[in-house]
Amino acid sequence: MKKIIIALIMIAATTVTAQNYKTKTTSAGPSQIQQFSEIPENEITGLMTFTNGAANIGVDYARMTDDMGYGGYFLLQTEKKPAVTQVMSFGGLMKFKIADKNKFSASLLPGFGIHMFKDIGASDETALGLVLKIAAQYKFTPEFAMGIESTTLTNMFSDKAPSQAEILSIAGTVAF
């Protein structure tokens, strides 16, 4: 199982992205001027929160094209507390911008992932399932936004692991 997880991490880490430039042609008399403008196409979101004393950290990555993109995520709950089931999850996701205004953005991020649960008094359990993230953020600049993100991890195949886990996080997004 560890070899499969390491192989999936290596595949996800080898994603190579190239920088694209969109061109805009403007007319200036008899000749035309072609201007290159750099538009942010990559988004990295850092996540941080505490659930009953257990710290949750995570990161989302999305390669955007207009209002839709694809990428991956990683989420880790650092401690196991009596009221908290420890979880580590990673996988792929799609990002859809529901609203993208001057100062506000809202996104829906469905995906699929591998979830590793460590329950109190039980052995570790690995599960596969759907992921749904919903984010709302305030834009300080076109390249930086902060807000909240709700993550729901679902278990589809394992009877021993919890059926779902929900985490609400503070999210900071950097676009480049």
Side-chain angles (χ1 to χ4, degrees), residues 162-175:
S163 62
Q164 76 176 32
E166 293 183 16
I167 298 169
L168 186 64
S169 303
I170 297 172
T173 301
V174 177

Side-chain angles (χ1 to χ4, degrees), residues 139-150:
K139 292 182 183 179
F140 291 96
T141 67
E143 293 84 22
F144 180 70
M146 281 199 73
I148 58 172
E149 182 173 295
S150 171

Side-chain angles (χ1 to χ4, degrees), residues 29-44:
S31 65
Q32 291 185 343
I33 300 170
Q34 196 171 31
Q35 297 175 340
F36 294 93
S37 63
E38 189 173 337
I39 297 174
E41 294 184 358
N42 298 302
E43 292 184 359
I44 294 181

Side-chain angles (χ1 to χ4, degrees), residues 79-112:
E79 295 183 46
K80 181 172 63 171
K81 299 283 183 177
V84 178
T85 301
Q86 185 178 2
V87 64
M88 180 174 77
S89 178
F90 62 91
L93 53 79
M94 297 286 295
K95 183 171 186 175
F96 300 99
K97 289 191 177 178
I98 299 169
D100 192 13
K101 303 295 180 188
N102 256 354
K103 292 290 182 181
F104 174 77
S105 71
S107 303
L108 183 66
L109 297 93
F112 190 82

Side-chain angles (χ1 to χ4, degrees), residues 25-64:
T25 306
T26 58
S27 163
S31 65
Q32 291 185 343
I33 300 170
Q34 196 171 31
Q35 297 175 340
F36 294 93
S37 63
E38 189 173 337
I39 297 174
E41 294 184 358
N42 298 302
E43 292 184 359
I44 294 181
T45 304
L47 306 169
M48 179 66 181
T49 190
F50 294 94
T51 304
N52 295 336
N56 302 316
I57 56 173
V59 65
D60 298 340
Y61 168 78
R63 170 92 171 142
M64 299 302 293

